[in-house]
């Protein structure tokens, strides 16, 4: 009976101030708590201030801490984040000194909320995890279970903010299984949060049902702030998923009215942004601009980084709709600055990637505006667009690689400036083709000694659809139609014009273009690129520049380090992760792997070491990789597990505490810190002699270090050879033999790969593209052997070997390293 309780506390407090100041402080504090719970934050703030005034004169630090906590909640909801954080921190210090673990956990959870609103997600996760650990340490206390649940819920909020939707949904559903123990407020919050994740994962009707259920609970509780949030989410689902703008606008306006009545500044910011977005779509520009300006004012007043990003993006799109390009770019630049500042605060590279990827549309909008200016001949527009592209692509890998340019480039991890890239192209000679997926169009920069040119290649989706079809055909062992290849060539490389005299290309693809072997595409004369040029694929132009410096810094003395033929765990009553994956993907022995490693090592002069069978362990990899090698070769299975939190992994032999799954985070963790004196390539070239049957997440969304190729680059490799689809076990061994024969002659890896492909392409039975085009080179590796003129494998022996295995080249061979993710990632 909260209304009666509130009235009683308010009536009692004035009369108790002289006779019983502690009782008066308790009455004010409890009134503040009820008003916070009801969403009336302005009134709560007034009551908490009075309670604080009284309690500062009393000798009860725990009671003072509780009032400070309630005061912080009111300030936080009113958008006064810095003041809220100060109150929470003072309360935390008091509770720690007093040994009040319950109060300490509450303060930590609320500091997490303040950190979320300020865009400091790494700090928020740390606070929630500390609060959860505290609750578990006091599991016998009656408060501990709820505190642990609240911390877990808030961890889910952070994961959602960072784009880790599957992980957050699993967390919420696990908590909802607790049943009535949750209490109505927690249950409503969880239901609404799970609804948001259902919507983001493509089930809007389930999401709407969840929001309506949460709204009904909030309405019964009289929680205006919670009801406002549920109405906002109903509007989002109806607007963005179902296209019902009329109903959505009503929901947005009702949510906004509720947020303002409750004084909930954070909710008000979101309501204004989505209302402004809907009005912009309907070309109601004055109304939309007012909504975004109100959003910005609320964000500035409350210190909300997310609100500033949203408002500046919205205003940028308003200016663009009016044809004010200068105003649009200024606003979008402010949004990008906020995004990058927030991203830098996030401690986890993995979460940096998902946060950044979710906000890529801001960069794409700016690139499209600048591309239109470049088409009109505006000086510097193409170069500025290129620099924004570099800011958007694989930033976490760029950070891991360190500063890419010489003295001209700013701090470690900063994207290269267009002038740096142009200077590098003039020095190195090889043109860079840098692709970027805008919101609608596909863009291409050609960076070569003559300068920087920008091409708008038109709508992106038809090209991406054609690339996906081509990849499916190749992965299924079918040769693509010549007409499909010609159409892709017209879309992707024909605008460049003649490429006479060019023997090497660097290609930095984007999105699904990462799964296209450009070597297949014909030039203007119908001759495939593989016959003319050696291609290096690059994560981005900035990454290529950083990797080229690494490649020049030297590699270790050891020529070859190989791992292969691991022992897969046998089925048993206690299955292991590696055993479960082996069973799931039907992974069997690799009879050709040991011979492949021996033959490959034999092609290179110098010392070598191989770890096969029971010796091919994670511990051996960590120990040996730390010593380095000019070539690191894996002839083993690799898997891509699409479940949240898993991703790609190379299978090695389980031993000791190691599960036998060599995952990207473990690989990238071997890196020497960027900027240290030791920061040089410990691995010249990593060869991942395995296959790919899964594309993984949208490559535009970030996550370079969640891929195997990105992880090896981050760990110190200058380049990686990986495959785009399944290739048979013995067929892979033949291909690798040809590749290593060329490496042994001293050819750079891109030229060695191109030479191997040409020889196979010229051999009957092996000239189908699905048999030779799967393996690609990512990065800037140096030669791994001295240059000499010997050919290595004689032509007669080559033909005999190919003829013996030719029948296997025409189809994917089940059982050879299938279900792997060794593609052109990093995304």
């Amino acid at each position: 009976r909260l209304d009666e309780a509130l009235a009683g506390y308010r009536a009692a407090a004035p009369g108790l101030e002289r006779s019983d100041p502690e009782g008066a402080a308790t009455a004010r504090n409890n009134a503040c708590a009820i008003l916070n719970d009801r969403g009336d934050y302005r009134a709560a703030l007034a009551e908490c201030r009075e309670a604080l005034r009284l309690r500062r004169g009393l000798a009860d630090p725990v009671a003072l801490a509780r009032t400070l906590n309630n005061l912080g909640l009111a300030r936080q909801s009113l958008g006064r984040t810095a003041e809220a954080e100060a109150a929470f921190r003072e309360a935390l210090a008091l509770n720690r000194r007093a040994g009040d673990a319950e109060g300490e956990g509450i303060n930590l959870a609320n500091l997490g909320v303040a950190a979320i609103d300020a865009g400091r997600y790494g700090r928020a996760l740390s606070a929630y995890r500390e609060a959860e650990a505290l609750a578990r340490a006091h599991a016998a206390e009656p408060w501990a279970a709820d505190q642990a649940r609240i911390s877990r819920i808030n961890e889910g909020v952070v994961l959602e903010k960072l784009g880790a939707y599957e992980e957050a949904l699993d967390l919420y559903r696990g908590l909802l299984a607790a049943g009535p123990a949750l209490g109505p407020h927690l249950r409503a919050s969880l239901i609404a949060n799970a609804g948001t994740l259902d919507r983001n994962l493509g089930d809007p009707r389930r999401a709407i049902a969840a929001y309506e259920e949460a709204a009904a609970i909030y309405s019964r509780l009289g929680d205006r702030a919670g009801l406002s949030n549920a109405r906002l989410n109903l509007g989002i689902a109806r607007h963005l998923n179902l296209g019902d703008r009329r109903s959505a606008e009503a929901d947005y306006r009702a949510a906004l009215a509720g947020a303002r009545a409750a004084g909930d500044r954070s909710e008000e910011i979101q309501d204004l942004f989505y209302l402004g977005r809907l009005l912009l779509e309907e070309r109601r520009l004055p109304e939309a601009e007012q909504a975004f300006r109100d959003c910005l004012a609320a964000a500035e007043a409350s210190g909300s980084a997310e609100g500033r990003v949203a408002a500046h993006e919205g205003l940028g799109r308003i200016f663009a709709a009016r044809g004010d390009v200068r105003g649009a770019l200024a606003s979008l630049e402010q949004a990008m600055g906020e995004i990058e500042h927030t991203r830098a605060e996030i401690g986890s590279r993995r979460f940096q990637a998902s946060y950044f990827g979710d906000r890529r549309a801001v960069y794409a909008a700016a690139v499209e505006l600048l591309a239109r200016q470049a088409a009109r001949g505006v000086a510097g527009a193409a170069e500025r667009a290129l620099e924004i592209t570099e800011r958007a692509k694989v930033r976490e890998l760029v950070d891991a690689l360190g500063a890419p340019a010489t003295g001209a480039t700013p701090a470690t991890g900063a994207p290269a400036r267009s002038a740096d890239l142009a200077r590098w192209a003039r020095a190195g000679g090889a043109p860079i083709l840098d692709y970027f997926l805008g919101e609608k169009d596909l863009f291409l920069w050609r960076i070569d000694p003559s300068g920087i040119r920008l091409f708008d290649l038109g709508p992106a989706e038809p090209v991406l659809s054609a690339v996906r079809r081509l990849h499916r055909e190749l992965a299924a062992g079918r040769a693509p139609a010549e007409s499909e290849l010609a159409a892709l060539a017209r879309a992707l490389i024909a605008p460049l014009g003649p490429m006479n005299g060019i023997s090497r290309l660097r290609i930095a693809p984007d999105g699904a273009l990462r799964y296209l072997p450009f070597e297949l595409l014909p030039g203007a004369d119908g001759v495939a690129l593989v016959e003319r040029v050696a291609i290096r694929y690059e994560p981005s132009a900035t990454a290529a520049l950083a990797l080229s410096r690494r490649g020049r810094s030297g590699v270790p003395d050891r020529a070859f380090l190989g791992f292969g033929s691991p022992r897969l765990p046998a089925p048993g009553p206690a299955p292991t992760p590696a055993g479960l994956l082996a069973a799931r993907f039907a992974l069997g022995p690799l009879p050709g792997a040991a011979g492949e490693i021996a033959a490959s090592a034999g092609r290179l002069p110098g010392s070598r070491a191989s770890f096969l069978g029971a010796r091919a362990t994670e511990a051996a990899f960590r120990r040996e990789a730390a010593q380095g090698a000019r070539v690191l070769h894996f002839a083993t299975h690799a898997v891509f597990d699409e479940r949240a939190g898993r991703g790609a992994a190379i299978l090695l032999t389980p031993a000791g505490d190691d599960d036998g799954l060599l995952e990207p985070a473990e690989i990238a963790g071997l890196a020497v810190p960027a900027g240290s004196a030791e920061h040089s390539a410990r691995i010249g070239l990593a060869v991942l002699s395995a296959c790919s049957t899964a594309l993984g997440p949208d490559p535009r969304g970030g996550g370079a270090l969640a891929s195997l190729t990105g992880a090896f680059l981050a760990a110190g490799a200058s380049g990686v050879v990986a495959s785009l689809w399944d290739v048979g076990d013995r067929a892979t061994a033949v291909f690798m033999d040809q590749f290593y024969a060329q490496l042994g002659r001293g050819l750079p890896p891109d030229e060695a790969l191109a030479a191997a492909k040409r020889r196979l392409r010229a051999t009957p039975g092996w000239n189908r593209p699905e048999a030779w085009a799967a393996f690609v080179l990512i990065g800037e590796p140096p030669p791994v052997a001295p240059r000499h003129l010997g050919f290595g494998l004689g032509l007669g022996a080559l033909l005999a070997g190919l003829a013996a295995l030719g029948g296997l080249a025409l189809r994917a061979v089940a059982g050879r390293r299938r279900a792997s993710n060794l593609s052109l990632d990093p995304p």
Side-chain angles (χ1 to χ4, degrees), residues 7 45 73 167 222 333 345 455 579 619 621 741-742 752:
L45 184 63
L73 288 173
E167 292 175 355
E333 184 60 55
E345 190 277 334
F455 301 87
F621 167 73
Q742 305 298 336

Side-chain angles (χ1 to χ4, degrees), residues 559-563 592-610 612 630-635 685 687-689 721 729-745 775 784-785 816-817:
F560 183 91
L561 174 62
F563 292 85
E596 175 185 317
I597 286 181
S600 300
R603 295 287 183 187
L604 302 180
S607 63
R608 63 205 68 166
S610 298
L612 304 174
R630 295 200 293 276
V631 176
L632 169 64
H633 187 104
F634 286 92
L685 178 67
V687 179
L688 310 182
S689 179
V721 169
D729 187 47
R730 287 190 293 167
T732 296
V734 169
F735 185 92
M736 286 296 161
D737 192 53
Q738 292 309 302
F739 174 51
Y740 276 91
Q742 305 298 336
L743 285 177
R745 297 173 58 207
F775 287 98
V784 299
R816 164 66 186 195
R817 309 163 206 181

